[in-house]
Amino acid sequence: MPTKTLHIPTADGRADAFAAFPERAGRHPGVLMYADGFGLRPALREMACELAGHGYYVLVPNLFYRHGPAPVIELPAHIGEEDRSAVFAQLMPLIEAHTTERVLRDADAYLRFLTTRPEVSVGPVAVTGYCIGGLLAVRTAAAHCGQVAAVAGFHAPVGAAGSDTLSRLTAPVHFGHAESDLTPEALGELNQVLDAAGVDHTSEIYPGTVHGFTMSDTDTFNPTALRLHWDRLLPLLDRALTHG
């Protein structure tokens, strides 16, 4: 699987990023993938390569590039419960500094870079994200309706985007929630917002999951839920970018 380390010009500097794409020559539909709060690391590179194997050019930026190249902080190879407090003590200041204004400035740069890559097909792209990255995916899609053809978020606090932002979504959506993150009542409220706005969506709680279920380098990883994630994500991308 061809991969590259790239640098994306932004309003605030240059963001390092990882890209994976199919071996066959030509142009491929583009996907902007936002990492979870632990950032760009081998587990995210593996997911990008998996998705690229299905025919997509996948770009994963370092969300915290303002603080240095990835990995911005030293992470254990496996992030267990005993590691989380120390890791988040370092990460939370970075996450809190990543304001909505920064998110939207960066999204402009990421989409401009992705859509002008010679390996990427002309036309709309998709945006997907994990944990805080799912919230970023929503904000990106709402701000770039003409460029984003599908949006997905997994174990993501998408409700934090607010009903105004969610109501601006025009692309088909899939949200896969952790059972530990969202009650059925809260899911119903979120889906009511999407329904009222006429957003084409599926939004569901993945059974037996806790926050971070897609991340293979954490103790919250759930391989069954990861397969369900692919079962939901791949058809969404296929409809929006390949046969839309």
Side-chain angles (χ1 to χ4, degrees):
M1 181 67 58
T3 64
K4 288 183 179 179
T5 297
L6 301 166
H7 291 87
I8 304 172
T10 76
D12 298 325
R14 293 206 313 163
D16 52 305
F18 176 81
F21 46 94
E23 292 186 10
R24 66 180 184 276
R27 290 176 174 263
H28 314 284
V31 179
L32 174 59
M33 178 183 284
Y34 284 119
D36 64 351
F38 294 127
L40 178 54
R41 61 195 192 282
L44 266 295
R45 293 183 176 93
E46 290 171 8
M47 294 187 76
C49 288
E50 174 73 19
L51 185 52
H54 293 274
Y56 300 97
Y57 183 103
V58 186
L59 180 68
V60 192
N62 170 20
L63 305 180
F64 307 127
Y65 70 88
R66 292 174 180 85
H67 306 275
V72 177
I73 70 166
E74 185 175 350
L75 292 170
H78 183 83
I79 304 167
E81 185 62 33
E82 68 279 6
D83 305 305
R84 286 179 180 269
S85 294
V87 168
F88 273 110
Q90 298 178 75
L91 283 174
M92 283 311 297
L94 279 60
I95 293 171
E96 290 169 353
H98 203 56
T99 61
T100 301
E101 292 74 17
R102 283 187 174 185
V103 170
L104 296 180
R105 285 203 305 273
D106 288 348
D108 291 345
Y110 299 155
L111 289 177
R112 182 167 55 249
F113 185 86
L114 177 61
T115 56
T116 56
R117 298 300 300 169
E119 305 93 341
V120 174
S121 304
V122 175
V125 299
V127 186
T128 186
Y130 303 88
C131 181
I132 189 67
L135 175 59
L136 272 54
V138 168
R139 288 179 169 154
T140 298
H144 295 272
C145 293
Q147 286 184 284
V148 175
V151 58
F154 300 91
H155 46 86
V158 293
S163 57
D164 288 346
T165 297
L166 290 166
S167 297
R168 292 201 304 272
L169 294 172
T170 59
V173 168
H174 175 73
F175 295 141
H177 309 283
E179 195 170 70
S180 66
D181 285 347
L182 208 65
T183 65
E185 292 76 19
L187 175 67
E189 292 171 3
L190 172 64
N191 290 346
Q192 283 179 5
V193 171
L194 298 171
D195 287 335
V199 178
D200 177 3
H201 70 280
T202 56
S203 176
E204 61 184 316
I205 294 172
Y206 287 16
T209 55
V210 295
H211 185 77
F213 59 77
T214 61
M215 295 295 126
S216 62
D217 61 348
T218 73
D219 58 359
T220 61
F221 177 56
N222 183 319
T224 300
L226 178 64
R227 287 194 297 272
L228 179 58
H229 143 280
W230 291 120
D231 288 345
R232 298 292 192 264
L233 179 60
L234 292 173
L236 174 72
L237 299 182
D238 182 61
R239 289 193 302 271
L241 300 179
T242 306
H243 296 109

mmCIF file of all heavy atoms in Angstrom, residues 40 56 68 103 129 222 243:
data_model
loop_
_atom_site.group_PDB
_atom_site.id
_atom_site.type_symbol
_atom_site.label_atom_id
_atom_site.label_comp_id
_atom_site.label_asym_id
_atom_site.label_seq_id
_atom_site.Cartn_x
_atom_site.Cartn_y
_atom_site.Cartn_z
ATOM 1 N N LEU A 40 -2.330 11.284 15.595
ATOM 2 C CA LEU A 40 -1.793 10.488 14.490
ATOM 3 C C LEU A 40 -0.686 9.576 15.005
ATOM 4 O O LEU A 40 0.310 10.030 15.588
ATOM 5 C CB LEU A 40 -1.259 11.439 13.411
ATOM 6 C CG LEU A 40 -0.604 10.824 12.173
ATOM 7 C CD1 LEU A 40 -1.519 9.820 11.507
ATOM 8 C CD2 LEU A 40 -0.222 11.929 11.204
ATOM 9 N N TYR A 56 -9.640 4.256 -1.926
ATOM 10 C CA TYR A 56 -9.709 5.674 -1.571
ATOM 11 C C TYR A 56 -8.324 6.246 -1.288
ATOM 12 O O TYR A 56 -7.430 5.534 -0.812
ATOM 13 C CB TYR A 56 -10.606 5.870 -0.343
ATOM 14 C CG TYR A 56 -12.009 5.394 -0.583
ATOM 15 C CD1 TYR A 56 -12.409 4.120 -0.169
ATOM 16 C CD2 TYR A 56 -12.921 6.189 -1.264
ATOM 17 C CE1 TYR A 56 -13.703 3.660 -0.416
ATOM 18 C CE2 TYR A 56 -14.210 5.732 -1.512
ATOM 19 C CZ TYR A 56 -14.592 4.471 -1.095
ATOM 20 O OH TYR A 56 -15.857 4.017 -1.352
ATOM 21 N N GLY A 68 3.969 20.693 17.400
ATOM 22 C CA GLY A 68 5.064 19.847 16.944
ATOM 23 C C GLY A 68 4.572 18.721 16.062
ATOM 24 O O GLY A 68 3.365 18.479 15.947
ATOM 25 N N VAL A 103 -10.256 24.830 14.135
ATOM 26 C CA VAL A 103 -10.773 23.681 13.387
ATOM 27 C C VAL A 103 -11.181 24.097 11.977
ATOM 28 O O VAL A 103 -10.831 23.439 10.987
ATOM 29 C CB VAL A 103 -11.973 23.050 14.119
ATOM 30 C CG1 VAL A 103 -12.663 22.015 13.234
ATOM 31 C CG2 VAL A 103 -11.533 22.416 15.437
ATOM 32 N N GLY A 129 -14.208 10.650 11.158
ATOM 33 C CA GLY A 129 -13.384 10.927 12.321
ATOM 34 C C GLY A 129 -13.769 10.079 13.511
ATOM 35 O O GLY A 129 -14.866 9.501 13.572
ATOM 36 N N ASN A 222 -12.755 -2.977 20.491
ATOM 37 C CA ASN A 222 -13.760 -4.028 20.333
ATOM 38 C C ASN A 222 -13.743 -4.466 18.866
ATOM 39 O O ASN A 222 -14.255 -3.754 18.002
ATOM 40 C CB ASN A 222 -15.134 -3.486 20.722
ATOM 41 C CG ASN A 222 -16.229 -4.523 20.660
ATOM 42 O OD1 ASN A 222 -16.279 -5.328 19.746
ATOM 43 N ND2 ASN A 222 -17.139 -4.491 21.632
ATOM 44 N N HIS A 243 -20.655 5.612 -6.557
ATOM 45 C CA HIS A 243 -21.873 5.403 -7.351
ATOM 46 C C HIS A 243 -22.897 6.503 -7.141
ATOM 47 O O HIS A 243 -24.059 6.352 -7.494
ATOM 48 C CB HIS A 243 -22.500 4.052 -7.008
ATOM 49 C CG HIS A 243 -21.627 2.888 -7.369
ATOM 50 N ND1 HIS A 243 -20.994 2.118 -6.425
ATOM 51 C CD2 HIS A 243 -21.242 2.400 -8.570
ATOM 52 C CE1 HIS A 243 -20.271 1.179 -7.034
ATOM 53 N NE2 HIS A 243 -20.403 1.332 -8.327
#
